[in-house]
Amino acid sequence: MIFTKTAEEIEIMRESVLSVSRTLALVAEYIGEGVTTAKLDKLAEEFIRDNGGVPSFKGYGGFPATLCMSVNEQVVHGIPNDYVLKSGDVISVDCGVYKNGFHGDHAYSFKIGEVSEEVSKLLRITKESLYKGIEAAKGGNRIGDISFAIQNYVQKEGYTVVRELTGHGLGRDLHEDPAVPNYGKRGRGSKIINGMVLAIEPMINLGKKNVRQLSDGWTIVTADGMPSAHFEHDIAIVEGKAEILSTFDLLEDVLLKRGMEIS
Ligand code: MG
Ligand code: MG
């Protein structure tokens, strides 16, 4: 069942989502070579709680941390640990914040040090595919139009779309209907209507589309061990158009100030 949101609820959600954007900007201040993912996770949790929020992911289905941190061949749901980030790594940082009864949930793939041209391009195209999906999220269209726009854009570059995980509705629950697959056919699926709030999140592989789960019960990795990229925005449908509630501007401003490359 799809729960559409009132204008008032969307205003409340905007604050939850911005809390995520601000947390990702804090991560951007500290991320880099020599830093462990566990340290970034601790900083993020403190920041969220200091600002009156609760980490959405911690305890969700038993997930043990605030951030999902997925390095290189890890697609999503990586658990922060003592891994030390090194030059050439790419890492998806996914964050959820629960505040005033609603969740925000978005993600960015960061580049650490010198990243190969091939992997930089994977990140750039994946990020662009997210905006292609958002462009297709408008009144009169269906969820399949978003899915098709993402798949069509990345497959032109020879990349593959992860099938097992999807975007989703967002609201009082972290994962609501409808599912928003990153592959599919135009004109299929639920109608896009005013008041829908969606988390759109392409997960795109450099190699084959197949994934598997590690024995930790969480981390999803590519079956062929090749890199994967992940970006996520939260949008609300207002007057037939997608309004992006989340922003990468805060974290990208921080990266640029630090002389780091944005994705
Ligand atoms: Mg999500
Ligand atoms: Mg997410």
Side-chain angles (χ1 to χ4, degrees):
M1 180 170 176
I2 295 168
F3 299 103
T4 55
K5 279 77 189 176
T6 64
E8 194 179 24
E9 287 172 327
I10 290 170
E11 283 315 304
I12 297 168
M13 288 194 74
R14 197 185 298 279
E15 177 60 26
S16 307
V17 174
L18 272 180
S19 296
V20 179
S21 303
R22 292 189 196 107
T23 307
L24 292 177
L26 174 91
V27 169
E29 278 182 37
Y30 293 93
I31 202 165
E33 289 172 63
V35 179
T36 66
T37 53
K39 162 148 184 176
L40 297 170
D41 187 69
K42 186 166 177 284
L43 289 166
E45 179 171 5
E46 283 169 5
F47 181 81
I48 291 166
R49 294 192 191 279
D50 285 351
N51 288 282
V54 174
S56 299
F57 300 168
K58 198 162 193 176
Y60 184 86
F63 189 77
T66 292
L67 302 175
C68 292
M69 305 190 84
S70 311
V71 185
N72 299 331
E73 79 284 359
Q74 299 177 352
V75 181
V76 288
H77 303 168
I79 301 171
N81 56 22
D82 58 5
Y83 178 78
V84 179
L85 292 170
K86 62 177 195 311
S87 183
D89 284 345
V90 288
I91 177 170
S92 154
V93 180
D94 195 349
C95 180
V97 172
Y98 182 72
K99 204 172 182 179
N100 302 317
F102 290 91
H103 294 274
D105 170 23
H106 74 111
Y108 189 83
S109 287
F110 293 83
K111 297 196 270 192
I112 308 298
E114 296 290 317
V115 172
S116 72
E117 275 295 314
E118 189 183 39
V119 176
S120 287
K121 186 181 170 194
L122 170 70
L123 265 55
R124 178 170 57 81
I125 297 295
T126 302
K127 189 184 178 192
E128 287 170 4
S129 78
L130 169 57
Y131 291 100
K132 296 289 173 191
I134 292 170
E135 274 172 36
K138 56 187 179 192
N141 275 3
R142 290 176 180 266
I143 296 295
D145 293 286
I146 302 173
S147 309
F148 174 84
I150 293 168
Q151 181 182 25
N152 185 50
Y153 192 72
V154 301
Q155 283 189 351
K156 273 188 205 153
E157 301 290 340
Y159 302 146
T160 59
V161 176
V162 173
R163 310 295 167 114
E164 288 81 351
L165 300 135
T166 67
H168 49 92
L170 182 71
R172 293 188 184 277
D173 284 318
L174 182 59
H175 296 117
E176 296 186 355
D177 288 337
V180 185
N182 298 302
Y183 67 98
K185 294 196 166 74
R186 276 188 277 213
R188 299 281 177 88
S190 303
K191 267 190 185 159
I192 295 168
I193 54 172
N194 287 331
M196 265 186 173
V197 178
L198 302 173
I200 303 180
E201 50 179 319
M203 288 156 263
I204 307 301
N205 296 348
L206 189 59
K208 294 199 168 69
K209 67 179 187 298
N210 312 66
V211 296
R212 66 188 176 89
Q213 190 174 51
L214 296 186
S215 57
D216 62 17
W218 283 102
T219 315
I220 304 294
V221 298
T222 57
D224 60 11
M226 292 186 64
S228 185
H230 174 222
F231 291 85
E232 179 176 21
H233 266 320
D234 300 334
I235 65 160
I237 306 300
V238 178
E239 291 174 9
K241 289 199 197 88
E243 192 178 321
I244 306 179
L245 303 177
S246 44
T247 177
F248 296 146
D249 290 351
L250 303 177
L251 76 91
E252 290 188 339
D253 284 350
V254 172
L255 293 177
L256 291 171
K257 270 188 201 130
R258 293 182 63 203
M260 292 171 71
E261 269 183 44
I262 62 171
S263 296

